[in-house]
Amino acid sequence: MDLSYTEEEEAFRARLRAWLAEVLPKLPPGPAATDWPGRRAYDAAWQRMLYDAGYAGLHWPVDAGGRGATPTQHLIFLEETERAGAPYVGANFVGLLHAGPTIAAEGTAAQRARWLPPILRGEEIWCQGFSEPDAGSDLAALRTRAVRDGDDYVVTGAKVWTSHAEVADWCELLVRTDPDAPRHRGISWLAMPMDAPGVTVRPLRTLAGSTEFAEVFLDEVRIPVAHRIGAEHDGWRVTMVTLSFERGTAFVGEVVACRRVLAELARAARANGRWDDAVLRRRLGRLNAEFAALWRLTQWNVSESMGLPPGRADAGPRGNTGGVPGTGGSVFKLRYSHARQELYDAAAEVLGGRALDADHPWVTDRLSALAYTIAAGTSQIQRNIVAERILGLPKGR
Amino acid sequence: MRFQLDADQRALRDGTRELLAGRFDRDRLRAAVDAPALDRRLWRELAAAGLFALRLPEADGGVGLGLPEAVVVFEEAGRALLPGPLVAGLLLAGAVDGAATGERVVGLCDAAADPVYWEHPADCDALVLLEAGEPGRAGRAYRCAPAEVGRAPLASVDPLTPLARVLDPPRTAPLAGLDAARLRREAALLTAAQQLGSAARTVELAVEHARRRTQFGAAIGSFQAVKHLCAEMLVRAELARVAVYAAAVTGDALDAVGAKLLADEAAVRNARDCLQVHGGIGFTWEADAHLHLKRAWLRAESWGGAREAEERLADALVRE
Ligand SMILES: Cc1cc2nc3c(=O)[nH]c(=O)nc-3n(C[C@H](O)[C@H](O)[C@H](O)COP(=O)(O)OP(=O)(O)OC[C@H]3O[C@@H](n4cnc5c(N)ncnc54)[C@H](O)[C@@H]3O)c2cc1C
């Protein structure tokens, strides 16, 4: 067990820190939470800066345009950028964290050359068209149809909860290419241009008041067959690759951010006298232990994934549970998504009457935190995964 | 950074598990429940295997390993519900003659606790008492002859751990070379490691039962209410695991406090959920869940409970 960093890693950290200290003060303030075009431009500009400085796609393989950094360096990158208060990956989330890595792992040389560089440079924004009105947790129930017509697929159906659809250029789209095959066998993974005729985006308002996700209607949208990643009907397997990215290191920066917020809560409580409340104090103390442990869990999961191909962190043997296949990401997500909600409930207690002031960032974050037990697989689904895939309990109906 | 057990640590874990399976299997556990006096032969066997001398330098006849390895071994002791003043045995192996070899059994009590509990009072040949430290100054450690220590016996909630309350600690010459703050910190961490082992074991017991037991024509483990209990148990154990391991690596006092808090919670709540998954049999003396629960309760009260831990962790937030 080793928690120390090598000299090389510390040198990398120092270089990154120096760069962040130089560029961050010059960065203009971010756009308003509701300004999505502004958000897109801002996130794209930041990604371009990372690209020019050599930090884009740090952990991607070199032949995919990445830097081939070690998982530890990637971890350091996520930790330091968050600690320095650098912009969040934001609108680039899907491109950088799952569409890109999926294309890197499963795409042809031509597909990599077409899609990866613009993702790394922040030029093209991706969204994720997986969920449908009648296929959420039961993703394999998706019904959006793709019918082959010459060199195109003709796609008809509807997607929902599509984050950033309003500002995206591309969509990683799951479609049913064989309606007669067993559920998981007839699905394909397509790259869909969002400006194709027949694509209609209708923003949905979240309970936090923003329009960060949307409904996407597809009416005979023509998508070239050459835009299919992986084999026809093999999209489910490709999707599992995609999802393992989502559950891998997606929350690293956020754990660092939560620890910072926790310290801010304590200071605010000291300043406004609520610190005298032992119940609140103890709650914050417990959260301190939880977030510290969640950070250790991240380090553990990243260490475990070392030596595995990128994106297959979930496939690693869990050294500590006797070799059963691990889904460390699910264990992490379960605890983290609840801890995050508890953190902002505690924030409301610190705020007292101001907890009803929706202009306060802690209040907005409290609302946003409600998504964490739903998005990217609900807590119930994560528990099923942990119980069935790690503990080996029988599948229910 | 490679935050995983290395090959030697995995071998140590497997070897310890095997050793305990051979020397302290379920029959021995059950025998100990009926007769909780310490099995001196077993104690010497454990010592011969290096359990207490683990961290003594090789030059002094020890094994020369560190805190992370001690934690790995104590996790196994926790899994097996191994009884006895194990923490004292390890921490005082270099301070009390015969402790390392298991010839003498030594106890360790913390006078800062209220009340001051003493485990296995009748079995201890020596007792080391940590003085309640004044703020800013580490307390001293005293060695006492057990016969001279005023005590009130009590019916221990844990059938495997006889207990007394120390009433009247005698003050003799302080033991030189013992750092009370460090002993407290490491005792908390080794206790947390045992909690971790117990928490991981009760997940296994629950899962085994959930696979085997059928109701409504199906294994109860196929029902989500049961499945989700088990999943949460694993999550608790895994969070405690990384906290305990990391605290062992860093040796940091606050890390140890956080690890103890999470491991206490994992052990206590997992034992309760394990009992629940077992249904009626879980409420009987036959199932092991109650033994894990009772020991977990006892350990949760040793070397810093939840209130103290949470206050210290909160205090750290405003000090940073
Ligand atoms: C903020 C946010 C952003 C999102 N972004 C995207 C995106 O960009 N792209 C995308 O494709 N999707 C996105 N999603 C969709 C998300 O993945 C789904 O909402 C999620 O998988 C749940 O599906 P559902 O909404 O259909 O709920 P349902 O599946 O209908 O679930 C409803 C309730 O039933 C429970 N439930 C369902 N099945 C089971 C079961 N087998 N066992 C136990 N309980 C069960 C669920 O846990 C939940 O509590 C986003 C969601 C949110 C909230």
Side-chain angles (χ1 to χ4, degrees), chain A residues 1-2 4 281-282 286 288 300 303 318-319 335 383-384 387-388 391-392 394 396, chain B residues 1-4 9 13 211 224 227-228 232 238 245-246 265 310-311 313-314 318:
Chain A
M1 283 186 283
D2 181 14
S4 64
R281 252 191 349 257
R282 287 186 59 179
R286 172 166 289 267
N288 192 4
W300 183 267
S303 298
R318 256 181 112 60
R335 191 68 173 227
R383 286 188 194 102
N384 286 349
E388 289 167 12
L391 297 176
Chain B
M1 184 203 68
R2 182 92 203 205
F3 187 35
Q4 294 279 303
Q9 288 163 342
R13 177 196 60 194
R211 281 214 197 100
Q224 282 192 338
K227 195 177 274 188
H228 288 192
E232 287 295 334
E238 293 299 289
Y245 288 178
E265 176 186 287
E310 286 166 355
E311 288 283 9
L313 288 157
V318 292

mmCIF file of all heavy atoms in Angstrom, chain A residues 1-2 4 281-282 286 288 300 303 318-319 335 383-384 387-388 391-392 394 396, chain B residues 1-4 9 13 211 224 227-228 232 238 245-246 265 310-311 313-314 318:
data_model
loop_
_atom_site.group_PDB
_atom_site.id
_atom_site.type_symbol
_atom_site.label_atom_id
_atom_site.label_comp_id
_atom_site.label_asym_id
_atom_site.label_seq_id
_atom_site.Cartn_x
_atom_site.Cartn_y
_atom_site.Cartn_z
ATOM 1 N N MET A 1 0.855 -1.193 0.000
ATOM 2 C CA MET A 1 0.000 0.000 0.000
ATOM 3 C C MET A 1 0.881 1.230 0.000
ATOM 4 O O MET A 1 1.710 1.387 0.874
ATOM 5 C CB MET A 1 -0.882 -0.010 1.250
ATOM 6 C CG MET A 1 -2.046 -0.979 1.147
ATOM 7 S SD MET A 1 -3.161 -0.869 2.540
ATOM 8 C CE MET A 1 -2.267 -1.756 3.820
ATOM 9 N N ASP A 2 0.716 2.041 -0.999
ATOM 10 C CA ASP A 2 1.596 3.188 -1.148
ATOM 11 C C ASP A 2 0.766 4.398 -1.543
ATOM 12 O O ASP A 2 0.054 4.370 -2.541
ATOM 13 C CB ASP A 2 2.635 2.853 -2.231
ATOM 14 C CG ASP A 2 3.611 3.988 -2.432
ATOM 15 O OD1 ASP A 2 3.652 4.902 -1.581
ATOM 16 O OD2 ASP A 2 4.326 3.966 -3.441
ATOM 17 N N SER A 4 2.276 7.460 -1.625
ATOM 18 C CA SER A 4 3.205 8.529 -1.975
ATOM 19 C C SER A 4 3.297 8.644 -3.495
ATOM 20 O O SER A 4 2.970 7.723 -4.225
ATOM 21 C CB SER A 4 4.581 8.223 -1.398
ATOM 22 O OG SER A 4 5.085 7.051 -1.999
ATOM 23 N N ARG A 281 -22.452 20.373 14.405
ATOM 24 C CA ARG A 281 -20.993 20.169 14.428
ATOM 25 C C ARG A 281 -20.647 18.711 14.154
ATOM 26 O O ARG A 281 -19.782 18.400 13.337
ATOM 27 C CB ARG A 281 -20.459 20.560 15.800
ATOM 28 C CG ARG A 281 -19.684 21.821 15.816
ATOM 29 C CD ARG A 281 -18.922 22.080 17.105
ATOM 30 N NE ARG A 281 -19.198 21.260 18.237
ATOM 31 C CZ ARG A 281 -19.938 21.638 19.292
ATOM 32 N NH1 ARG A 281 -20.483 22.833 19.330
ATOM 33 N NH2 ARG A 281 -20.112 20.819 20.304
ATOM 34 N N ARG A 282 -21.353 17.830 14.837
ATOM 35 C CA ARG A 282 -21.053 16.404 14.677
ATOM 36 C C ARG A 282 -21.376 15.930 13.265
ATOM 37 O O ARG A 282 -20.681 15.078 12.712
ATOM 38 C CB ARG A 282 -21.831 15.591 15.709
ATOM 39 C CG ARG A 282 -21.263 15.743 17.105
ATOM 40 C CD ARG A 282 -21.942 14.833 18.096
ATOM 41 N NE ARG A 282 -21.834 13.424 17.725
ATOM 42 C CZ ARG A 282 -22.335 12.424 18.450
ATOM 43 N NH1 ARG A 282 -22.960 12.684 19.580
ATOM 44 N NH2 ARG A 282 -22.207 11.180 18.050
ATOM 45 N N ARG A 286 -18.676 14.178 10.830
ATOM 46 C CA ARG A 286 -18.889 12.885 10.173
ATOM 47 C C ARG A 286 -18.679 13.014 8.661
ATOM 48 O O ARG A 286 -18.038 12.167 8.037
ATOM 49 C CB ARG A 286 -20.300 12.376 10.474
ATOM 50 C CG ARG A 286 -20.705 11.153 9.691
ATOM 51 C CD ARG A 286 -21.945 10.511 10.272
ATOM 52 N NE ARG A 286 -21.646 9.867 11.535
ATOM 53 C CZ ARG A 286 -21.320 8.572 11.623
ATOM 54 N NH1 ARG A 286 -21.277 7.827 10.550
ATOM 55 N NH2 ARG A 286 -21.048 8.039 12.785
ATOM 56 N N ASN A 288 -16.773 15.034 7.235
ATOM 57 C CA ASN A 288 -15.326 15.149 7.037
ATOM 58 C C ASN A 288 -14.710 13.765 6.859
ATOM 59 O O ASN A 288 -13.935 13.521 5.929
ATOM 60 C CB ASN A 288 -14.707 15.870 8.243
ATOM 61 C CG ASN A 288 -13.259 16.290 7.992
ATOM 62 O OD1 ASN A 288 -12.740 16.101 6.898
ATOM 63 N ND2 ASN A 288 -12.615 16.840 9.005
ATOM 64 N N TRP A 300 -7.959 4.267 -4.362
ATOM 65 C CA TRP A 300 -7.966 2.799 -4.387
ATOM 66 C C TRP A 300 -8.441 2.304 -5.757
ATOM 67 O O TRP A 300 -7.809 1.439 -6.375
ATOM 68 C CB TRP A 300 -8.891 2.294 -3.274
ATOM 69 C CG TRP A 300 -8.950 0.814 -3.133
ATOM 70 C CD1 TRP A 300 -9.855 -0.029 -3.718
ATOM 71 C CD2 TRP A 300 -8.083 -0.025 -2.354
ATOM 72 N NE1 TRP A 300 -9.601 -1.320 -3.349
ATOM 73 C CE2 TRP A 300 -8.522 -1.351 -2.509
ATOM 74 C CE3 TRP A 300 -6.975 0.226 -1.540
ATOM 75 C CZ2 TRP A 300 -7.895 -2.440 -1.882
ATOM 76 C CZ3 TRP A 300 -6.355 -0.855 -0.913
ATOM 77 C CH2 TRP A 300 -6.812 -2.165 -1.089
ATOM 78 N N SER A 303 -5.875 3.021 -8.436
ATOM 79 C CA SER A 303 -4.748 2.084 -8.322
ATOM 80 C C SER A 303 -5.124 0.724 -8.872
ATOM 81 O O SER A 303 -4.343 0.043 -9.528
ATOM 82 C CB SER A 303 -4.322 1.920 -6.860
ATOM 83 O OG SER A 303 -3.879 3.131 -6.333
ATOM 84 N N ARG A 318 -11.194 -7.373 -7.807
ATOM 85 C CA ARG A 318 -11.170 -6.632 -6.553
ATOM 86 C C ARG A 318 -10.306 -7.407 -5.599
ATOM 87 O O ARG A 318 -10.752 -8.384 -5.040
ATOM 88 C CB ARG A 318 -12.584 -6.454 -6.014
ATOM 89 C CG ARG A 318 -13.004 -5.028 -6.276
ATOM 90 C CD ARG A 318 -14.296 -4.586 -5.847
ATOM 91 N NE ARG A 318 -14.235 -3.600 -4.768
ATOM 92 C CZ ARG A 318 -13.636 -2.426 -4.840
ATOM 93 N NH1 ARG A 318 -12.973 -2.066 -5.873
ATOM 94 N NH2 ARG A 318 -13.706 -1.615 -3.821
ATOM 95 N N GLY A 319 -9.094 -6.931 -5.437
ATOM 96 C CA GLY A 319 -8.133 -7.672 -4.640
ATOM 97 C C GLY A 319 -8.629 -7.972 -3.239
ATOM 98 O O GLY A 319 -8.207 -8.923 -2.615
ATOM 99 N N ARG A 335 -22.222 5.720 -2.387
ATOM 100 C CA ARG A 335 -21.956 6.477 -1.173
ATOM 101 C C ARG A 335 -21.821 7.967 -1.468
ATOM 102 O O ARG A 335 -22.311 8.812 -0.737
ATOM 103 C CB ARG A 335 -20.676 5.937 -0.513
ATOM 104 C CG ARG A 335 -20.437 6.472 0.878
ATOM 105 C CD ARG A 335 -21.482 5.936 1.846
ATOM 106 N NE ARG A 335 -21.152 6.311 3.200
ATOM 107 C CZ ARG A 335 -21.162 5.480 4.248
ATOM 108 N NH1 ARG A 335 -21.555 4.237 4.100
ATOM 109 N NH2 ARG A 335 -20.832 5.897 5.441
ATOM 110 N N ARG A 383 -27.304 -0.491 -6.499
ATOM 111 C CA ARG A 383 -27.359 -1.547 -5.481
ATOM 112 C C ARG A 383 -27.547 -2.909 -6.139
ATOM 113 O O ARG A 383 -26.974 -3.907 -5.705
ATOM 114 C CB ARG A 383 -28.489 -1.290 -4.486
ATOM 115 C CG ARG A 383 -28.183 -0.174 -3.530
ATOM 116 C CD ARG A 383 -29.230 -0.046 -2.419
ATOM 117 N NE ARG A 383 -29.034 1.232 -1.752
ATOM 118 C CZ ARG A 383 -29.790 2.315 -1.960
ATOM 119 N NH1 ARG A 383 -30.853 2.248 -2.749
ATOM 120 N NH2 ARG A 383 -29.515 3.434 -1.355
ATOM 121 N N ASN A 384 -28.369 -2.949 -7.188
ATOM 122 C CA ASN A 384 -28.521 -4.213 -7.913
ATOM 123 C C ASN A 384 -27.181 -4.664 -8.485
ATOM 124 O O ASN A 384 -26.830 -5.844 -8.411
ATOM 125 C CB ASN A 384 -29.524 -4.056 -9.068
ATOM 126 C CG ASN A 384 -30.959 -3.979 -8.564
ATOM 127 O OD1 ASN A 384 -31.235 -4.234 -7.403
ATOM 128 N ND2 ASN A 384 -31.868 -3.608 -9.451
ATOM 129 N N ALA A 387 -24.934 -5.886 -5.689
ATOM 130 C CA ALA A 387 -25.407 -7.159 -5.128
ATOM 131 C C ALA A 387 -25.200 -8.310 -6.111
ATOM 132 O O ALA A 387 -24.774 -9.401 -5.720
ATOM 133 C CB ALA A 387 -26.884 -7.040 -4.749
ATOM 134 N N GLU A 388 -25.480 -8.061 -7.370
ATOM 135 C CA GLU A 388 -25.412 -9.171 -8.328
ATOM 136 C C GLU A 388 -24.010 -9.400 -8.862
ATOM 137 O O GLU A 388 -23.572 -10.542 -9.004
ATOM 138 C CB GLU A 388 -26.394 -8.912 -9.491
ATOM 139 C CG GLU A 388 -27.848 -9.052 -9.029
ATOM 140 C CD GLU A 388 -28.856 -8.508 -10.033
ATOM 141 O OE1 GLU A 388 -28.475 -8.225 -11.184
ATOM 142 O OE2 GLU A 388 -30.044 -8.368 -9.647
ATOM 143 N N LEU A 391 -21.368 -9.234 -5.187
ATOM 144 C CA LEU A 391 -21.700 -10.205 -4.143
ATOM 145 C C LEU A 391 -22.250 -11.506 -4.721
ATOM 146 O O LEU A 391 -22.372 -12.494 -3.996
ATOM 147 C CB LEU A 391 -22.713 -9.588 -3.167
ATOM 148 C CG LEU A 391 -22.208 -8.372 -2.390
ATOM 149 C CD1 LEU A 391 -23.312 -7.778 -1.516
ATOM 150 C CD2 LEU A 391 -20.999 -8.749 -1.537
ATOM 151 N N GLY A 392 -22.604 -11.505 -5.995
ATOM 152 C CA GLY A 392 -23.059 -12.740 -6.629
ATOM 153 C C GLY A 392 -24.438 -13.194 -6.190
ATOM 154 O O GLY A 392 -24.753 -14.387 -6.264
ATOM 155 N N PRO A 394 -28.459 -13.783 -6.562
ATOM 156 C CA PRO A 394 -29.202 -14.132 -7.778
ATOM 157 C C PRO A 394 -29.962 -12.943 -8.342
ATOM 158 O O PRO A 394 -30.402 -12.066 -7.608
ATOM 159 C CB PRO A 394 -30.172 -15.228 -7.306
ATOM 160 C CG PRO A 394 -30.181 -15.166 -5.831
ATOM 161 C CD PRO A 394 -28.900 -14.538 -5.392
ATOM 162 N N GLY A 396 -32.970 -10.872 -9.707
ATOM 163 C CA GLY A 396 -34.410 -10.889 -9.450
ATOM 164 C C GLY A 396 -35.155 -10.752 -10.754
ATOM 165 O O GLY A 396 -34.550 -10.723 -11.823
ATOM 166 N N MET B 1 2.153 6.213 -6.561
ATOM 167 C CA MET B 1 1.018 5.805 -5.728
ATOM 168 C C MET B 1 0.428 4.484 -6.221
ATOM 169 O O MET B 1 0.082 4.366 -7.383
ATOM 170 C CB MET B 1 -0.073 6.884 -5.784
ATOM 171 C CG MET B 1 -1.224 6.575 -4.863
ATOM 172 S SD MET B 1 -2.769 7.397 -5.335
ATOM 173 C CE MET B 1 -3.171 6.588 -6.848
ATOM 174 N N ARG B 2 0.372 3.546 -5.375
ATOM 175 C CA ARG B 2 -0.271 2.277 -5.717
ATOM 176 C C ARG B 2 -0.996 1.837 -4.447
ATOM 177 O O ARG B 2 -0.450 1.078 -3.641
ATOM 178 C CB ARG B 2 0.777 1.269 -6.175
ATOM 179 C CG ARG B 2 0.201 -0.055 -6.590
ATOM 180 C CD ARG B 2 -0.076 -0.081 -8.078
ATOM 181 N NE ARG B 2 -1.082 -1.084 -8.364
ATOM 182 C CZ ARG B 2 -1.217 -1.683 -9.534
ATOM 183 N NH1 ARG B 2 -0.445 -1.383 -10.527
ATOM 184 N NH2 ARG B 2 -2.169 -2.568 -9.722
ATOM 185 N N PHE B 3 -2.211 2.337 -4.289
ATOM 186 C CA PHE B 3 -2.954 2.112 -3.046
ATOM 187 C C PHE B 3 -3.717 0.783 -3.146
ATOM 188 O O PHE B 3 -4.923 0.745 -3.348
ATOM 189 C CB PHE B 3 -3.885 3.293 -2.801
ATOM 190 C CG PHE B 3 -4.592 3.270 -1.477
ATOM 191 C CD1 PHE B 3 -3.972 2.777 -0.347
ATOM 192 C CD2 PHE B 3 -5.887 3.753 -1.360
ATOM 193 C CE1 PHE B 3 -4.628 2.761 0.882
ATOM 194 C CE2 PHE B 3 -6.553 3.746 -0.151
ATOM 195 C CZ PHE B 3 -5.926 3.241 0.971
ATOM 196 N N GLN B 4 -2.964 -0.276 -3.046
ATOM 197 C CA GLN B 4 -3.503 -1.640 -3.069
ATOM 198 C C GLN B 4 -2.611 -2.456 -2.140
ATOM 199 O O GLN B 4 -1.470 -2.095 -1.911
ATOM 200 C CB GLN B 4 -3.389 -2.225 -4.477
ATOM 201 C CG GLN B 4 -4.250 -1.538 -5.514
ATOM 202 C CD GLN B 4 -5.682 -2.034 -5.468
ATOM 203 O OE1 GLN B 4 -5.966 -3.214 -5.598
ATOM 204 N NE2 GLN B 4 -6.616 -1.118 -5.254
ATOM 205 N N GLN B 9 1.777 -8.203 1.442
ATOM 206 C CA GLN B 9 0.627 -7.938 2.331
ATOM 207 C C GLN B 9 -0.511 -8.920 2.042
ATOM 208 O O GLN B 9 -1.195 -9.379 2.953
ATOM 209 C CB GLN B 9 0.171 -6.486 2.165
ATOM 210 C CG GLN B 9 1.164 -5.507 2.799
ATOM 211 C CD GLN B 9 0.985 -4.081 2.332
ATOM 212 O OE1 GLN B 9 0.357 -3.814 1.291
ATOM 213 N NE2 GLN B 9 1.527 -3.144 3.088
ATOM 214 N N ARG B 13 -2.033 -11.538 4.661
ATOM 215 C CA ARG B 13 -3.472 -11.672 4.913
ATOM 216 C C ARG B 13 -3.914 -13.120 4.762
ATOM 217 O O ARG B 13 -4.566 -13.684 5.638
ATOM 218 C CB ARG B 13 -4.244 -10.790 3.932
ATOM 219 C CG ARG B 13 -5.751 -10.925 4.059
ATOM 220 C CD ARG B 13 -6.481 -10.357 2.853
ATOM 221 N NE ARG B 13 -6.081 -11.046 1.623
ATOM 222 C CZ ARG B 13 -6.347 -10.594 0.391
ATOM 223 N NH1 ARG B 13 -6.986 -9.463 0.229
ATOM 224 N NH2 ARG B 13 -5.954 -11.277 -0.670
ATOM 225 N N ARG B 211 -28.251 -16.544 -0.221
ATOM 226 C CA ARG B 211 -28.199 -17.438 -1.377
ATOM 227 C C ARG B 211 -28.873 -18.774 -1.081
ATOM 228 O O ARG B 211 -29.438 -19.402 -1.962
ATOM 229 C CB ARG B 211 -26.733 -17.741 -1.728
ATOM 230 C CG ARG B 211 -26.050 -16.659 -2.483
ATOM 231 C CD ARG B 211 -25.052 -17.297 -3.470
ATOM 232 N NE ARG B 211 -24.101 -16.300 -3.919
ATOM 233 C CZ ARG B 211 -22.872 -16.200 -3.415
ATOM 234 N NH1 ARG B 211 -22.449 -17.035 -2.490
ATOM 235 N NH2 ARG B 211 -22.075 -15.272 -3.868
ATOM 236 N N GLN B 224 -35.215 -7.712 -3.854
ATOM 237 C CA GLN B 224 -34.408 -6.494 -3.767
ATOM 238 C C GLN B 224 -34.262 -5.939 -2.357
ATOM 239 O O GLN B 224 -33.232 -5.355 -2.035
ATOM 240 C CB GLN B 224 -34.979 -5.420 -4.684
ATOM 241 C CG GLN B 224 -34.608 -5.682 -6.124
ATOM 242 C CD GLN B 224 -34.909 -4.500 -6.994
ATOM 243 O OE1 GLN B 224 -35.723 -3.660 -6.647
ATOM 244 N NE2 GLN B 224 -34.264 -4.445 -8.125
ATOM 245 N N LYS B 227 -31.402 -7.873 -1.168
ATOM 246 C CA LYS B 227 -30.246 -7.579 -2.010
ATOM 247 C C LYS B 227 -29.672 -6.198 -1.683
ATOM 248 O O LYS B 227 -28.469 -6.015 -1.569
ATOM 249 C CB LYS B 227 -30.752 -7.611 -3.455
ATOM 250 C CG LYS B 227 -29.728 -7.673 -4.503
ATOM 251 C CD LYS B 227 -30.402 -7.777 -5.857
ATOM 252 C CE LYS B 227 -30.710 -9.222 -6.196
ATOM 253 N NZ LYS B 227 -31.188 -9.371 -7.584
ATOM 254 N N HIS B 228 -30.562 -5.228 -1.529
ATOM 255 C CA HIS B 228 -30.092 -3.858 -1.300
ATOM 256 C C HIS B 228 -29.491 -3.691 0.094
ATOM 257 O O HIS B 228 -28.548 -2.925 0.277
ATOM 258 C CB HIS B 228 -31.222 -2.858 -1.565
ATOM 259 C CG HIS B 228 -31.530 -2.721 -3.033
ATOM 260 N ND1 HIS B 228 -32.320 -1.727 -3.544
ATOM 261 C CD2 HIS B 228 -31.123 -3.463 -4.098
ATOM 262 C CE1 HIS B 228 -32.394 -1.873 -4.873
ATOM 263 N NE2 HIS B 228 -31.684 -2.924 -5.219
ATOM 264 N N GLU B 232 -25.614 -2.364 0.545
ATOM 265 C CA GLU B 232 -25.222 -1.274 1.440
ATOM 266 C C GLU B 232 -24.184 -1.745 2.456
ATOM 267 O O GLU B 232 -23.306 -0.978 2.870
ATOM 268 C CB GLU B 232 -26.437 -0.690 2.161
ATOM 269 C CG GLU B 232 -27.335 0.155 1.258
ATOM 270 C CD GLU B 232 -26.663 1.430 0.731
ATOM 271 O OE1 GLU B 232 -25.732 1.940 1.378
ATOM 272 O OE2 GLU B 232 -27.077 1.891 -0.347
ATOM 273 N N GLU B 238 -16.441 -1.346 2.448
ATOM 274 C CA GLU B 238 -15.390 -0.880 1.537
ATOM 275 C C GLU B 238 -14.930 0.535 1.882
ATOM 276 O O GLU B 238 -13.758 0.861 1.757
ATOM 277 C CB GLU B 238 -15.872 -0.947 0.084
ATOM 278 C CG GLU B 238 -16.099 -2.364 -0.412
ATOM 279 C CD GLU B 238 -14.832 -3.198 -0.384
ATOM 280 O OE1 GLU B 238 -13.933 -2.963 -1.179
ATOM 281 O OE2 GLU B 238 -14.742 -4.083 0.495
ATOM 282 N N TYR B 245 -7.019 1.479 5.876
ATOM 283 C CA TYR B 245 -5.730 1.242 5.211
ATOM 284 C C TYR B 245 -4.961 2.558 5.051
ATOM 285 O O TYR B 245 -3.753 2.617 5.300
ATOM 286 C CB TYR B 245 -5.936 0.607 3.829
ATOM 287 C CG TYR B 245 -6.377 -0.839 3.833
ATOM 288 C CD1 TYR B 245 -6.643 -1.506 2.637
ATOM 289 C CD2 TYR B 245 -6.532 -1.554 5.022
ATOM 290 C CE1 TYR B 245 -7.044 -2.834 2.613
ATOM 291 C CE2 TYR B 245 -6.939 -2.875 5.015
ATOM 292 C CZ TYR B 245 -7.198 -3.523 3.799
ATOM 293 O OH TYR B 245 -7.604 -4.819 3.775
ATOM 294 N N ALA B 246 -5.673 3.608 4.619
ATOM 295 C CA ALA B 246 -4.979 4.877 4.397
ATOM 296 C C ALA B 246 -4.421 5.411 5.713
ATOM 297 O O ALA B 246 -3.292 5.920 5.755
ATOM 298 C CB ALA B 246 -5.919 5.895 3.756
ATOM 299 N N GLU B 265 -19.030 2.249 12.526
ATOM 300 C CA GLU B 265 -20.361 2.264 11.913
ATOM 301 C C GLU B 265 -20.556 1.026 11.031
ATOM 302 O O GLU B 265 -21.609 0.381 11.065
ATOM 303 C CB GLU B 265 -20.531 3.530 11.066
ATOM 304 C CG GLU B 265 -21.849 3.538 10.325
ATOM 305 C CD GLU B 265 -21.980 4.708 9.351
ATOM 306 O OE1 GLU B 265 -22.160 5.830 9.839
ATOM 307 O OE2 GLU B 265 -21.902 4.484 8.137
ATOM 308 N N GLU B 310 -16.421 12.625 16.057
ATOM 309 C CA GLU B 310 -17.068 13.639 15.230
ATOM 310 C C GLU B 310 -16.677 15.046 15.671
ATOM 311 O O GLU B 310 -16.448 15.934 14.840
ATOM 312 C CB GLU B 310 -18.586 13.447 15.248
ATOM 313 C CG GLU B 310 -19.004 12.243 14.408
ATOM 314 C CD GLU B 310 -20.435 11.795 14.648
ATOM 315 O OE1 GLU B 310 -21.109 12.346 15.552
ATOM 316 O OE2 GLU B 310 -20.870 10.884 13.944
ATOM 317 N N GLU B 311 -16.562 15.238 16.966
ATOM 318 C CA GLU B 311 -16.133 16.557 17.448
ATOM 319 C C GLU B 311 -14.715 16.871 16.990
ATOM 320 O O GLU B 311 -14.418 17.991 16.580
ATOM 321 C CB GLU B 311 -16.234 16.633 18.976
ATOM 322 C CG GLU B 311 -17.674 16.702 19.519
ATOM 323 C CD GLU B 311 -18.320 18.090 19.367
ATOM 324 O OE1 GLU B 311 -17.737 18.965 18.698
ATOM 325 O OE2 GLU B 311 -19.425 18.285 19.918
ATOM 326 N N LEU B 313 -13.170 15.697 14.380
ATOM 327 C CA LEU B 313 -13.152 15.901 12.929
ATOM 328 C C LEU B 313 -13.769 17.244 12.560
ATOM 329 O O LEU B 313 -13.368 17.868 11.573
ATOM 330 C CB LEU B 313 -13.889 14.755 12.232
ATOM 331 C CG LEU B 313 -13.138 13.426 12.247
ATOM 332 C CD1 LEU B 313 -14.096 12.249 12.084
ATOM 333 C CD2 LEU B 313 -12.083 13.407 11.151
ATOM 334 N N ALA B 314 -14.752 17.672 13.331
ATOM 335 C CA ALA B 314 -15.353 18.985 13.089
ATOM 336 C C ALA B 314 -14.350 20.072 13.444
ATOM 337 O O ALA B 314 -14.138 21.030 12.686
ATOM 338 C CB ALA B 314 -16.625 19.137 13.914
ATOM 339 N N VAL B 318 -12.290 23.650 11.163
ATOM 340 C CA VAL B 318 -12.120 25.079 11.390
ATOM 341 C C VAL B 318 -10.675 25.449 11.706
ATOM 342 O O VAL B 318 -10.312 26.609 11.713
ATOM 343 C CB VAL B 318 -13.057 25.625 12.495
ATOM 344 C CG1 VAL B 318 -14.491 25.575 12.016
ATOM 345 C CG2 VAL B 318 -12.886 24.863 13.779
#
